[in-house]
Every structure is written in structure tokens, then in C-alpha cells.
Amino acid sequence: MTSNDTPREAHPYVGMWVTADGFIRQELLSNGRYDEARGNRRSAYTGRYTVTGSHLDYVDDTGFTATGDVRDGFLFHEHLVLYREDDPRVRQGARP
């Protein structure tokens, strides 16, 4: 286990976030890492993230960077809108 994998106190954003159709699933882990699946492709993207207020900065393991913001219970990640996995709007195609 590296120092980057050291568990820390869970942030409120930690957990599974999914698109309304369930195709993209992004898990924010408590150790500051994320694992994103797309369709049947597990771990399509993996890397680390940091949270500042409601803003997230991502750096995937290849060095690609992205951002996200949590507003009104939605995670706006670049062009995606993600919901908490247990949100009833998931798979209904709802958009904020």
C-alpha cells in the first residue's frame, strides 16, 4: 500500500455515481482514488481526485486531467451528469 492509498475520513462525495442510463459508473473512493466503468468495461479510467469545496479535480493514471462540480446533489463531470447510485432518477433518463 502506498501513501496515496492510505484510507482517510470519508468525504460526503465518496461512493458510486452513475449516469441516468447506468452506462457510466464512477466510484469515488475514500483514499482519494476513483474507478470509472463504462458499459461492460470495468476500470475504463482510474486515477486520483481532490475535492475543494464542491469542486473536484481529477488526474487519471495516464496523466489526463478533468474537473467536476457537485451542485444540488448532482455531479457534473465535464459533459456528464452523474447521480448517486441509489437516486430514483437513475435509469429513468432524467436530467437536472
Side-chain angles (χ1 to χ4, degrees), residues 44-84:
Y45 300 98
T46 59
R48 65 188 195 286
Y49 72 95
T50 57
V51 179
T52 306
S54 61
H55 180 79
L56 289 86
D57 288 296
Y58 297 84
V59 179
D60 83 6
D61 291 336
T62 67
F64 180 80
T65 61
T67 62
D69 292 285
V70 176
R71 294 189 310 268
D72 300 324
F74 302 99
L75 172 54
F76 295 89
H77 174 64
E78 297 299 329
H79 66 280
L80 302 171
V81 178
L82 296 115
Y83 303 77
R84 287 290 194 172

Side-chain angles (χ1 to χ4, degrees), residues 80-96:
L80 302 171
V81 178
L82 296 115
Y83 303 77
R84 287 290 194 172
E85 183 176 40
D86 59 355
D87 190 307
R89 294 167 290 200
V90 171
R91 299 206 184 275
Q92 294 177 5
R95 302 226 14 127

